[in-house]
Amino acid sequence: MIVTRDRAGLVKERETLGVGAGGATLGLVPTMGALHEGHRSLLRLAHEKADHVAVSIFVNPLQFGPAEDYSRYPRTFDADLEVCAEEGVSLVFAPAPEDMYLPDRQVGVSAGRMGAIVEGEFRPGHLDGVLTVVLKLFNLVRPDLAVFGQKDAQQLAMIRRMVADLDVPVSIVGAPTVREPDGLALSSRNRYLSRDDRAVALALSRALAAGAARRTPEEVRRAARAVLAAEPALAVDYLVLVHPATFEEVGDDHSGEAILAVAAKVGSTRLIDNVTVTL
Ligand code: AMP
């Protein structure tokens, strides 16, 4: 396994792996580290689709708001390298922030209207920061495909949008959300939760399951809302039922697939989750 912090070394490392002119394909799994079973499932999916798997580990300052948890975000580099080695990763790219962004940086990717709704309404600039770093990682690593989790459904939809709008030559693969046996979606931020917090956090996946069992938009929203309302310790940012590709709210007459997405704070920890609903 090649581990590099050096962006300049990436071209050479690709050659070593026989990627590109050598004929081998490369799948990239972008992460912020603190790797868990959810990340492992992405690595396994990347292995199924590409000859070699690259992982980036980079806590991207651009996607955190000033009052968010950038400085206290979990950083577990040594354990992450073990996970990568166990999962047969060929290349780990872990740049330092000062090597990713020029001090006089001016240009970034704009997530447009879709970046300002739902998650974007509560985290202004977050999705611009995500798209900017993902495009940079694509340009540096030059993968054939990249795998992203459905756990961050709006992020995945926006990356598909960026690739289509900007003709980015990378295939985007979505991966299902990995959950604890009791339903809690795995997240690097779950380690902030106390035992009591964790019990409260379960209301998110319970609400989504209650909604997903219904068949009309009105019933879905009502069933999910009732579960959230029964958990007063949860500070809900949003519960929305949206089109999978645009994240616009679906109308009451919508049929087919939609995404039921929720974001809420448990104490100081903000969690998001979503599920696909068939209407
Ligand atoms: P992060 O390190 O949180 O930026 O996540 C890196 C990638 O892992 C993103 O594509 C996430 O959507 C994905 N991911 C995070 N949690 C899960 C999960 N529980 N199941 C599947 N994928 C996940």
Side-chain angles (χ1 to χ4, degrees):
M1 184 168 81
I2 301 164
V3 180
T4 180
R5 294 190 173 276
D6 174 19
R7 51 189 282 164
L10 282 171
V11 174
K12 189 179 85 235
E13 309 303 6
R14 288 176 93 260
E15 276 170 22
T16 309
L17 295 174
V19 168
T25 56
L26 184 64
L28 172 66
V29 179
T31 79
M32 298 204 298
L35 302 183
H36 51 64
E37 271 309 312
H39 298 111
R40 281 186 194 260
S41 75
L42 269 53
L43 298 177
R44 289 174 197 150
L45 189 55
H47 263 301
E48 284 174 25
K49 309 259 175 197
D51 298 321
H52 288 287
V53 175
V55 176
S56 58
I57 298 177
F58 181 61
V59 184
N60 173 31
L62 227 56
Q63 69 188 70
F64 287 80
E68 293 182 1
D69 57 348
Y70 174 69
S71 53
R72 73 169 189 132
Y73 194 84
R75 289 164 171 87
T76 60
F77 190 62
D78 292 341
D80 293 346
L81 289 187
E82 272 177 42
V83 170
C84 291
E86 282 168 19
E87 298 296 339
V89 167
S90 297
L91 174 65
V92 178
F93 176 48
E98 55 277 19
D99 293 331
M100 277 299 269
Y101 296 114
L102 298 171
D104 59 347
R105 186 186 79 82
Q106 302 272 331
V107 175
V109 181
S110 163
R113 170 179 161 73
M114 196 174 155
I117 58 176
V118 191
E119 193 62 4
E121 190 184 330
F122 290 87
R123 302 187 72 186
H126 166 69
L127 286 157
D128 305 62
V130 169
L131 295 186
T132 300
V133 80
V134 167
L135 187 60
K136 283 170 70 73
L137 290 168
F138 286 179
N139 287 335
L140 290 166
V141 179
R142 288 192 261 150
D144 299 280
L145 62 92
V147 183
F148 296 88
Q150 183 68 32
K151 160 77 167 43
D152 299 278
Q154 190 173 4
Q155 166 177 295
L156 172 58
M158 287 244 53
I159 289 164
R160 291 191 196 282
R161 195 67 256 165
M162 172 176 78
V163 163
D165 286 346
L166 301 182
D167 300 304
V168 181
V170 178
S171 300
I172 304 303
V173 178
T177 301
V178 177
R179 299 178 179 280
E180 302 278 8
D182 60 8
L184 185 70
L186 295 193
S187 163
S188 304
R189 290 187 170 99
N190 288 354
R191 67 189 71 199
Y192 301 148
L193 300 173
S194 68
R195 186 197 291 240
D196 288 351
D197 289 343
R198 203 185 168 291
V200 173
L202 278 179
L204 265 62
S205 52
R206 270 208 319 274
L208 297 178
R214 305 302 161 111
R215 287 292 161 264
T216 70
E218 197 192 338
E219 285 172 8
V220 168
R221 291 188 175 105
R222 193 188 312 133
R225 236 183 256 130
V227 175
L228 296 178
E231 189 47 84
L234 210 55
V236 178
D237 275 353
Y238 60 77
L239 173 77
V240 293
L241 185 64
V242 296
H243 286 274
T246 64
F247 269 69
E248 300 282 351
E249 288 267 4
V250 302
D252 284 342
D253 56 351
H254 180 82
S255 64
E257 290 201 336
I259 290 180
L260 182 63
V262 64
K265 275 202 178 118
V266 183
S268 59
T269 305
R270 187 173 182 278
L271 300 174
I272 62 171
D273 198 356
N274 71 89
V275 71
T276 300
V277 180
T278 308
L279 300 163

mmCIF file of all heavy atoms in Angstrom, residues 162-210:
data_model
loop_
_atom_site.group_PDB
_atom_site.id
_atom_site.type_symbol
_atom_site.label_atom_id
_atom_site.label_comp_id
_atom_site.label_asym_id
_atom_site.label_seq_id
_atom_site.Cartn_x
_atom_site.Cartn_y
_atom_site.Cartn_z
ATOM 1 N N MET A 162 -22.594 17.805 -10.608
ATOM 2 C CA MET A 162 -21.338 18.464 -10.998
ATOM 3 C C MET A 162 -20.689 17.731 -12.167
ATOM 4 O O MET A 162 -20.235 18.363 -13.132
ATOM 5 C CB MET A 162 -20.368 18.503 -9.810
ATOM 6 C CG MET A 162 -18.973 18.998 -10.202
ATOM 7 S SD MET A 162 -17.855 19.160 -8.806
ATOM 8 C CE MET A 162 -17.381 17.456 -8.531
ATOM 9 N N VAL A 163 -20.659 16.397 -12.068
ATOM 10 C CA VAL A 163 -20.024 15.589 -13.112
ATOM 11 C C VAL A 163 -20.750 15.777 -14.440
ATOM 12 O O VAL A 163 -20.123 15.883 -15.501
ATOM 13 C CB VAL A 163 -19.990 14.113 -12.649
ATOM 14 C CG1 VAL A 163 -19.744 13.168 -13.794
ATOM 15 C CG2 VAL A 163 -18.927 13.946 -11.563
ATOM 16 N N ALA A 164 -22.092 15.872 -14.375
ATOM 17 C CA ALA A 164 -22.873 16.092 -15.595
ATOM 18 C C ALA A 164 -22.680 17.520 -16.104
ATOM 19 O O ALA A 164 -22.430 17.743 -17.288
ATOM 20 C CB ALA A 164 -24.352 15.811 -15.328
ATOM 21 N N ASP A 165 -22.775 18.500 -15.222
ATOM 22 C CA ASP A 165 -22.732 19.905 -15.648
ATOM 23 C C ASP A 165 -21.349 20.320 -16.142
ATOM 24 O O ASP A 165 -21.232 21.177 -17.020
ATOM 25 C CB ASP A 165 -23.156 20.826 -14.485
ATOM 26 C CG ASP A 165 -24.653 20.782 -14.233
ATOM 27 O OD1 ASP A 165 -25.394 20.269 -15.100
ATOM 28 O OD2 ASP A 165 -25.092 21.257 -13.166
ATOM 29 N N LEU A 166 -20.302 19.746 -15.545
ATOM 30 C CA LEU A 166 -18.939 20.182 -15.890
ATOM 31 C C LEU A 166 -18.180 19.132 -16.713
ATOM 32 O O LEU A 166 -16.974 19.274 -16.908
ATOM 33 C CB LEU A 166 -18.148 20.517 -14.607
ATOM 34 C CG LEU A 166 -18.749 21.611 -13.713
ATOM 35 C CD1 LEU A 166 -17.841 21.875 -12.508
ATOM 36 C CD2 LEU A 166 -18.960 22.904 -14.487
ATOM 37 N N ASP A 167 -18.890 18.102 -17.190
ATOM 38 C CA ASP A 167 -18.248 17.063 -18.025
ATOM 39 C C ASP A 167 -17.001 16.488 -17.357
ATOM 40 O O ASP A 167 -15.939 16.397 -17.976
ATOM 41 C CB ASP A 167 -17.899 17.624 -19.414
ATOM 42 C CG ASP A 167 -19.141 18.117 -20.135
ATOM 43 O OD1 ASP A 167 -20.084 17.316 -20.294
ATOM 44 O OD2 ASP A 167 -19.182 19.301 -20.498
ATOM 45 N N VAL A 168 -17.134 16.113 -16.107
ATOM 46 C CA VAL A 168 -15.999 15.533 -15.381
ATOM 47 C C VAL A 168 -15.907 14.049 -15.752
ATOM 48 O O VAL A 168 -16.896 13.324 -15.614
ATOM 49 C CB VAL A 168 -16.198 15.685 -13.855
ATOM 50 C CG1 VAL A 168 -15.010 15.108 -13.091
ATOM 51 C CG2 VAL A 168 -16.411 17.151 -13.489
ATOM 52 N N PRO A 169 -14.732 13.586 -16.229
ATOM 53 C CA PRO A 169 -14.648 12.219 -16.753
ATOM 54 C C PRO A 169 -14.448 11.161 -15.665
ATOM 55 O O PRO A 169 -13.490 10.402 -15.682
ATOM 56 C CB PRO A 169 -13.447 12.291 -17.697
ATOM 57 C CG PRO A 169 -12.571 13.332 -17.087
ATOM 58 C CD PRO A 169 -13.468 14.319 -16.402
ATOM 59 N N VAL A 170 -15.350 11.120 -14.697
ATOM 60 C CA VAL A 170 -15.284 10.138 -13.605
ATOM 61 C C VAL A 170 -16.680 9.539 -13.442
ATOM 62 O O VAL A 170 -17.664 10.282 -13.387
ATOM 63 C CB VAL A 170 -14.849 10.807 -12.274
ATOM 64 C CG1 VAL A 170 -14.837 9.805 -11.133
ATOM 65 C CG2 VAL A 170 -13.477 11.474 -12.414
ATOM 66 N N SER A 171 -16.769 8.206 -13.369
ATOM 67 C CA SER A 171 -18.069 7.560 -13.122
ATOM 68 C C SER A 171 -18.365 7.605 -11.629
ATOM 69 O O SER A 171 -17.493 7.274 -10.814
ATOM 70 C CB SER A 171 -18.041 6.089 -13.541
ATOM 71 O OG SER A 171 -17.739 5.995 -14.897
ATOM 72 N N ILE A 172 -19.591 7.971 -11.290
ATOM 73 C CA ILE A 172 -19.964 8.086 -9.875
ATOM 74 C C ILE A 172 -20.802 6.867 -9.486
ATOM 75 O O ILE A 172 -21.796 6.543 -10.135
ATOM 76 C CB ILE A 172 -20.764 9.379 -9.622
ATOM 77 C CG1 ILE A 172 -19.947 10.602 -10.092
ATOM 78 C CG2 ILE A 172 -21.143 9.499 -8.144
ATOM 79 C CD1 ILE A 172 -18.581 10.743 -9.458
ATOM 80 N N VAL A 173 -20.383 6.222 -8.399
ATOM 81 C CA VAL A 173 -21.060 5.026 -7.903
ATOM 82 C C VAL A 173 -21.615 5.346 -6.513
ATOM 83 O O VAL A 173 -20.889 5.842 -5.647
ATOM 84 C CB VAL A 173 -20.062 3.839 -7.807
ATOM 85 C CG1 VAL A 173 -20.744 2.606 -7.236
ATOM 86 C CG2 VAL A 173 -19.441 3.546 -9.171
ATOM 87 N N GLY A 174 -22.902 5.070 -6.310
ATOM 88 C CA GLY A 174 -23.526 5.276 -4.994
ATOM 89 C C GLY A 174 -23.526 3.983 -4.205
ATOM 90 O O GLY A 174 -23.682 2.898 -4.784
ATOM 91 N N ALA A 175 -23.342 4.084 -2.895
ATOM 92 C CA ALA A 175 -23.288 2.897 -2.030
ATOM 93 C C ALA A 175 -24.332 3.019 -0.921
ATOM 94 O O ALA A 175 -24.521 4.106 -0.363
ATOM 95 C CB ALA A 175 -21.901 2.760 -1.407
ATOM 96 N N PRO A 176 -25.011 1.901 -0.600
ATOM 97 C CA PRO A 176 -26.068 1.964 0.423
ATOM 98 C C PRO A 176 -25.526 2.318 1.811
ATOM 99 O O PRO A 176 -24.353 2.091 2.105
ATOM 100 C CB PRO A 176 -26.662 0.548 0.423
ATOM 101 C CG PRO A 176 -25.772 -0.302 -0.400
ATOM 102 C CD PRO A 176 -24.854 0.574 -1.185
ATOM 103 N N THR A 177 -26.406 2.852 2.639
ATOM 104 C CA THR A 177 -26.027 3.258 3.997
ATOM 105 C C THR A 177 -25.858 2.034 4.898
ATOM 106 O O THR A 177 -26.730 1.169 4.939
ATOM 107 C CB THR A 177 -27.110 4.183 4.581
ATOM 108 O OG1 THR A 177 -27.232 5.321 3.732
ATOM 109 C CG2 THR A 177 -26.767 4.630 6.003
ATOM 110 N N VAL A 178 -24.743 2.002 5.606
ATOM 111 C CA VAL A 178 -24.504 0.933 6.583
ATOM 112 C C VAL A 178 -24.990 1.415 7.949
ATOM 113 O O VAL A 178 -24.697 2.551 8.361
ATOM 114 C CB VAL A 178 -23.004 0.565 6.644
ATOM 115 C CG1 VAL A 178 -22.752 -0.486 7.722
ATOM 116 C CG2 VAL A 178 -22.531 0.069 5.281
ATOM 117 N N ARG A 179 -25.742 0.548 8.628
ATOM 118 C CA ARG A 179 -26.354 0.905 9.913
ATOM 119 C C ARG A 179 -25.929 -0.044 11.023
ATOM 120 O O ARG A 179 -25.561 -1.189 10.761
ATOM 121 C CB ARG A 179 -27.894 0.853 9.790
ATOM 122 C CG ARG A 179 -28.434 1.800 8.772
ATOM 123 C CD ARG A 179 -29.955 1.721 8.615
ATOM 124 N NE ARG A 179 -30.356 2.707 7.628
ATOM 125 C CZ ARG A 179 -30.491 4.006 7.899
ATOM 126 N NH1 ARG A 179 -30.349 4.438 9.143
ATOM 127 N NH2 ARG A 179 -30.805 4.866 6.953
ATOM 128 N N GLU A 180 -26.019 0.427 12.259
ATOM 129 C CA GLU A 180 -25.887 -0.458 13.422
ATOM 130 C C GLU A 180 -27.110 -1.381 13.430
ATOM 131 O O GLU A 180 -28.134 -1.048 12.831
ATOM 132 C CB GLU A 180 -25.877 0.356 14.720
ATOM 133 C CG GLU A 180 -24.788 1.401 14.814
ATOM 134 C CD GLU A 180 -23.453 0.829 15.263
ATOM 135 O OE1 GLU A 180 -23.316 -0.418 15.371
ATOM 136 O OE2 GLU A 180 -22.537 1.632 15.485
ATOM 137 N N PRO A 181 -27.036 -2.511 14.143
ATOM 138 C CA PRO A 181 -28.192 -3.410 14.181
ATOM 139 C C PRO A 181 -29.477 -2.713 14.643
ATOM 140 O O PRO A 181 -30.566 -3.064 14.193
ATOM 141 C CB PRO A 181 -27.771 -4.486 15.194
ATOM 142 C CG PRO A 181 -26.279 -4.477 15.154
ATOM 143 C CD PRO A 181 -25.874 -3.060 14.858
ATOM 144 N N ASP A 182 -29.354 -1.691 15.498
ATOM 145 C CA ASP A 182 -30.576 -1.004 15.968
ATOM 146 C C ASP A 182 -31.038 0.110 15.029
ATOM 147 O O ASP A 182 -31.989 0.825 15.330
ATOM 148 C CB ASP A 182 -30.371 -0.461 17.394
ATOM 149 C CG ASP A 182 -29.223 0.536 17.487
ATOM 150 O OD1 ASP A 182 -28.680 0.938 16.442
ATOM 151 O OD2 ASP A 182 -28.859 0.907 18.622
ATOM 152 N N GLY A 183 -30.367 0.286 13.904
ATOM 153 C CA GLY A 183 -30.843 1.252 12.908
ATOM 154 C C GLY A 183 -29.991 2.505 12.772
ATOM 155 O O GLY A 183 -30.049 3.183 11.745
ATOM 156 N N LEU A 184 -29.212 2.850 13.796
ATOM 157 C CA LEU A 184 -28.408 4.082 13.735
ATOM 158 C C LEU A 184 -27.431 4.020 12.560
ATOM 159 O O LEU A 184 -26.648 3.069 12.442
ATOM 160 C CB LEU A 184 -27.636 4.265 15.051
ATOM 161 C CG LEU A 184 -26.839 5.574 15.170
ATOM 162 C CD1 LEU A 184 -27.775 6.773 15.299
ATOM 163 C CD2 LEU A 184 -25.878 5.523 16.358
ATOM 164 N N ALA A 185 -27.482 5.023 11.683
ATOM 165 C CA ALA A 185 -26.555 5.066 10.547
ATOM 166 C C ALA A 185 -25.144 5.316 11.068
ATOM 167 O O ALA A 185 -24.936 6.196 11.918
ATOM 168 C CB ALA A 185 -26.964 6.168 9.585
ATOM 169 N N LEU A 186 -24.181 4.551 10.597
ATOM 170 C CA LEU A 186 -22.798 4.768 11.032
ATOM 171 C C LEU A 186 -22.336 6.149 10.586
ATOM 172 O O LEU A 186 -22.638 6.592 9.487
ATOM 173 C CB LEU A 186 -21.871 3.701 10.436
ATOM 174 C CG LEU A 186 -22.102 2.270 10.883
ATOM 175 C CD1 LEU A 186 -20.924 1.403 10.468
ATOM 176 C CD2 LEU A 186 -22.292 2.169 12.374
ATOM 177 N N SER A 187 -21.597 6.805 11.457
ATOM 178 C CA SER A 187 -21.053 8.131 11.162
ATOM 179 C C SER A 187 -19.828 8.349 12.025
ATOM 180 O O SER A 187 -19.789 7.897 13.181
ATOM 181 C CB SER A 187 -22.100 9.206 11.476
ATOM 182 O OG SER A 187 -21.486 10.482 11.568
ATOM 183 N N SER A 188 -18.853 9.045 11.481
ATOM 184 C CA SER A 188 -17.662 9.373 12.284
ATOM 185 C C SER A 188 -18.062 10.193 13.505
ATOM 186 O O SER A 188 -17.387 10.173 14.530
ATOM 187 C CB SER A 188 -16.654 10.151 11.444
ATOM 188 O OG SER A 188 -16.321 9.415 10.287
ATOM 189 N N ARG A 189 -19.179 10.928 13.395
ATOM 190 C CA ARG A 189 -19.603 11.794 14.505
ATOM 191 C C ARG A 189 -20.319 11.016 15.607
ATOM 192 O O ARG A 189 -20.554 11.564 16.679
ATOM 193 C CB ARG A 189 -20.495 12.925 13.984
ATOM 194 C CG ARG A 189 -19.728 13.952 13.157
ATOM 195 C CD ARG A 189 -20.579 15.164 12.796
ATOM 196 N NE ARG A 189 -19.791 16.236 12.214
ATOM 197 C CZ ARG A 189 -19.679 16.482 10.896
ATOM 198 N NH1 ARG A 189 -20.316 15.720 10.028
ATOM 199 N NH2 ARG A 189 -18.939 17.478 10.459
ATOM 200 N N ASN A 190 -20.653 9.741 15.368
ATOM 201 C CA ASN A 190 -21.332 8.970 16.422
ATOM 202 C C ASN A 190 -20.452 8.836 17.662
ATOM 203 O O ASN A 190 -20.963 8.639 18.756
ATOM 204 C CB ASN A 190 -21.713 7.579 15.916
ATOM 205 C CG ASN A 190 -22.867 7.622 14.923
ATOM 206 O OD1 ASN A 190 -23.446 8.682 14.696
ATOM 207 N ND2 ASN A 190 -23.185 6.486 14.327
ATOM 208 N N ARG A 191 -19.140 8.943 17.475
ATOM 209 C CA ARG A 191 -18.271 8.787 18.651
ATOM 210 C C ARG A 191 -18.402 9.954 19.628
ATOM 211 O O ARG A 191 -17.931 9.885 20.747
ATOM 212 C CB ARG A 191 -16.825 8.542 18.249
ATOM 213 C CG ARG A 191 -16.139 9.700 17.581
ATOM 214 C CD ARG A 191 -14.793 9.282 17.039
ATOM 215 N NE ARG A 191 -14.954 8.402 15.877
ATOM 216 C CZ ARG A 191 -14.000 7.595 15.409
ATOM 217 N NH1 ARG A 191 -12.839 7.540 16.004
ATOM 218 N NH2 ARG A 191 -14.205 6.858 14.344
ATOM 219 N N TYR A 192 -19.038 11.059 19.198
ATOM 220 C CA TYR A 192 -19.303 12.164 20.136
ATOM 221 C C TYR A 192 -20.465 11.844 21.074
ATOM 222 O O TYR A 192 -20.683 12.544 22.049
ATOM 223 C CB TYR A 192 -19.727 13.436 19.397
ATOM 224 C CG TYR A 192 -18.782 14.034 18.391
ATOM 225 C CD1 TYR A 192 -19.278 14.704 17.280
ATOM 226 C CD2 TYR A 192 -17.396 13.980 18.555
ATOM 227 C CE1 TYR A 192 -18.441 15.295 16.347
ATOM 228 C CE2 TYR A 192 -16.553 14.570 17.623
ATOM 229 C CZ TYR A 192 -17.080 15.219 16.522
ATOM 230 O OH TYR A 192 -16.261 15.807 15.602
ATOM 231 N N LEU A 193 -21.287 10.840 20.726
ATOM 232 C CA LEU A 193 -22.546 10.624 21.442
ATOM 233 C C LEU A 193 -22.325 9.881 22.757
ATOM 234 O O LEU A 193 -21.658 8.847 22.790
ATOM 235 C CB LEU A 193 -23.507 9.803 20.568
ATOM 236 C CG LEU A 193 -23.909 10.396 19.211
ATOM 237 C CD1 LEU A 193 -24.729 9.379 18.411
ATOM 238 C CD2 LEU A 193 -24.704 11.688 19.390
ATOM 239 N N SER A 194 -22.918 10.402 23.831
ATOM 240 C CA SER A 194 -22.950 9.662 25.095
ATOM 241 C C SER A 194 -23.984 8.537 24.943
ATOM 242 O O SER A 194 -24.723 8.497 23.955
ATOM 243 C CB SER A 194 -23.371 10.588 26.240
ATOM 244 O OG SER A 194 -24.733 10.955 26.052
ATOM 245 N N ARG A 195 -24.067 7.687 25.960
ATOM 246 C CA ARG A 195 -25.047 6.592 25.875
ATOM 247 C C ARG A 195 -26.482 7.134 25.774
ATOM 248 O O ARG A 195 -27.288 6.653 24.988
ATOM 249 C CB ARG A 195 -24.908 5.707 27.122
ATOM 250 C CG ARG A 195 -25.783 4.470 27.070
ATOM 251 C CD ARG A 195 -25.905 3.892 28.455
ATOM 252 N NE ARG A 195 -24.625 3.347 28.883
ATOM 253 C CZ ARG A 195 -24.439 2.061 29.200
ATOM 254 N NH1 ARG A 195 -25.442 1.228 29.140
ATOM 255 N NH2 ARG A 195 -23.270 1.632 29.604
ATOM 256 N N ASP A 196 -26.753 8.198 26.559
ATOM 257 C CA ASP A 196 -28.093 8.799 26.499
ATOM 258 C C ASP A 196 -28.345 9.453 25.143
ATOM 259 O O ASP A 196 -29.436 9.330 24.576
ATOM 260 C CB ASP A 196 -28.264 9.850 27.607
ATOM 261 C CG ASP A 196 -28.386 9.193 28.980
ATOM 262 O OD1 ASP A 196 -28.504 7.953 29.027
ATOM 263 O OD2 ASP A 196 -28.339 9.933 29.982
ATOM 264 N N ASP A 197 -27.330 10.165 24.636
ATOM 265 C CA ASP A 197 -27.456 10.808 23.318
ATOM 266 C C ASP A 197 -27.795 9.768 22.256
ATOM 267 O O ASP A 197 -28.606 9.995 21.361
ATOM 268 C CB ASP A 197 -26.122 11.441 22.869
ATOM 269 C CG ASP A 197 -25.748 12.675 23.665
ATOM 270 O OD1 ASP A 197 -26.632 13.244 24.330
ATOM 271 O OD2 ASP A 197 -24.562 13.049 23.617
ATOM 272 N N ARG A 198 -27.118 8.646 22.362
ATOM 273 C CA ARG A 198 -27.270 7.608 21.346
ATOM 274 C C ARG A 198 -28.709 7.099 21.301
ATOM 275 O O ARG A 198 -29.268 6.856 20.232
ATOM 276 C CB ARG A 198 -26.300 6.467 21.639
ATOM 277 C CG ARG A 198 -25.982 5.651 20.400
ATOM 278 C CD ARG A 198 -25.125 4.450 20.721
ATOM 279 N NE ARG A 198 -25.090 3.581 19.567
ATOM 280 C CZ ARG A 198 -26.111 2.878 19.115
ATOM 281 N NH1 ARG A 198 -27.290 2.927 19.750
ATOM 282 N NH2 ARG A 198 -26.013 2.128 18.036
ATOM 283 N N ALA A 199 -29.305 6.957 22.504
ATOM 284 C CA ALA A 199 -30.705 6.504 22.565
ATOM 285 C C ALA A 199 -31.615 7.532 21.894
ATOM 286 O O ALA A 199 -32.553 7.175 21.173
ATOM 287 C CB ALA A 199 -31.106 6.288 24.022
ATOM 288 N N VAL A 200 -31.314 8.820 22.111
ATOM 289 C CA VAL A 200 -32.103 9.890 21.475
ATOM 290 C C VAL A 200 -31.910 9.846 19.957
ATOM 291 O O VAL A 200 -32.868 9.978 19.179
ATOM 292 C CB VAL A 200 -31.674 11.272 22.040
ATOM 293 C CG1 VAL A 200 -32.354 12.400 21.272
ATOM 294 C CG2 VAL A 200 -31.994 11.364 23.529
ATOM 295 N N ALA A 201 -30.661 9.628 19.535
ATOM 296 C CA ALA A 201 -30.324 9.646 18.097
ATOM 297 C C ALA A 201 -31.076 8.571 17.315
ATOM 298 O O ALA A 201 -31.322 8.721 16.115
ATOM 299 C CB ALA A 201 -28.818 9.461 17.915
ATOM 300 N N LEU A 202 -31.459 7.512 17.994
ATOM 301 C CA LEU A 202 -32.178 6.421 17.315
ATOM 302 C C LEU A 202 -33.517 6.877 16.736
ATOM 303 O O LEU A 202 -34.056 6.240 15.825
ATOM 304 C CB LEU A 202 -32.429 5.276 18.291
ATOM 305 C CG LEU A 202 -31.272 4.315 18.508
ATOM 306 C CD1 LEU A 202 -31.656 3.252 19.522
ATOM 307 C CD2 LEU A 202 -30.886 3.662 17.182
ATOM 308 N N ALA A 203 -34.037 7.995 17.259
ATOM 309 C CA ALA A 203 -35.309 8.509 16.738
ATOM 310 C C ALA A 203 -35.191 8.869 15.249
ATOM 311 O O ALA A 203 -36.190 8.825 14.520
ATOM 312 C CB ALA A 203 -35.770 9.720 17.547
ATOM 313 N N LEU A 204 -33.984 9.217 14.787
ATOM 314 C CA LEU A 204 -33.813 9.571 13.366
ATOM 315 C C LEU A 204 -34.157 8.378 12.478
ATOM 316 O O LEU A 204 -35.011 8.477 11.597
ATOM 317 C CB LEU A 204 -32.373 10.019 13.085
ATOM 318 C CG LEU A 204 -32.097 11.527 13.125
ATOM 319 C CD1 LEU A 204 -32.371 12.107 14.489
ATOM 320 C CD2 LEU A 204 -30.666 11.831 12.701
ATOM 321 N N SER A 205 -33.483 7.255 12.705
ATOM 322 C CA SER A 205 -33.727 6.099 11.832
ATOM 323 C C SER A 205 -35.129 5.537 12.058
ATOM 324 O O SER A 205 -35.764 5.029 11.129
ATOM 325 C CB SER A 205 -32.656 5.025 12.048
ATOM 326 O OG SER A 205 -32.536 4.699 13.406
ATOM 327 N N ARG A 206 -35.634 5.658 13.315
ATOM 328 C CA ARG A 206 -37.012 5.195 13.573
ATOM 329 C C ARG A 206 -38.013 6.027 12.782
ATOM 330 O O ARG A 206 -38.968 5.500 12.200
ATOM 331 C CB ARG A 206 -37.338 5.300 15.063
ATOM 332 C CG ARG A 206 -37.003 4.066 15.878
ATOM 333 C CD ARG A 206 -37.908 3.932 17.116
ATOM 334 N NE ARG A 206 -38.152 5.184 17.806
ATOM 335 C CZ ARG A 206 -37.359 5.710 18.742
ATOM 336 N NH1 ARG A 206 -36.268 5.071 19.127
ATOM 337 N NH2 ARG A 206 -37.657 6.854 19.310
ATOM 338 N N ALA A 207 -37.787 7.340 12.743
ATOM 339 C CA ALA A 207 -38.695 8.233 12.003
ATOM 340 C C ALA A 207 -38.656 7.901 10.513
ATOM 341 O O ALA A 207 -39.703 7.858 9.849
ATOM 342 C CB ALA A 207 -38.299 9.697 12.233
ATOM 343 N N LEU A 208 -37.470 7.645 9.993
ATOM 344 C CA LEU A 208 -37.347 7.332 8.559
ATOM 345 C C LEU A 208 -38.036 6.015 8.237
ATOM 346 O O LEU A 208 -38.718 5.888 7.221
ATOM 347 C CB LEU A 208 -35.869 7.279 8.155
ATOM 348 C CG LEU A 208 -35.097 8.596 8.312
ATOM 349 C CD1 LEU A 208 -33.631 8.397 7.921
ATOM 350 C CD2 LEU A 208 -35.721 9.714 7.485
ATOM 351 N N ALA A 209 -37.873 5.037 9.138
ATOM 352 C CA ALA A 209 -38.515 3.736 8.903
ATOM 353 C C ALA A 209 -40.036 3.882 8.945
ATOM 354 O O ALA A 209 -40.749 3.288 8.128
ATOM 355 C CB ALA A 209 -38.040 2.721 9.944
ATOM 356 N N ALA A 210 -40.521 4.704 9.890
ATOM 357 C CA ALA A 210 -41.977 4.910 9.982
ATOM 358 C C ALA A 210 -42.489 5.567 8.706
ATOM 359 O O ALA A 210 -43.535 5.183 8.163
ATOM 360 C CB ALA A 210 -42.309 5.769 11.204
#
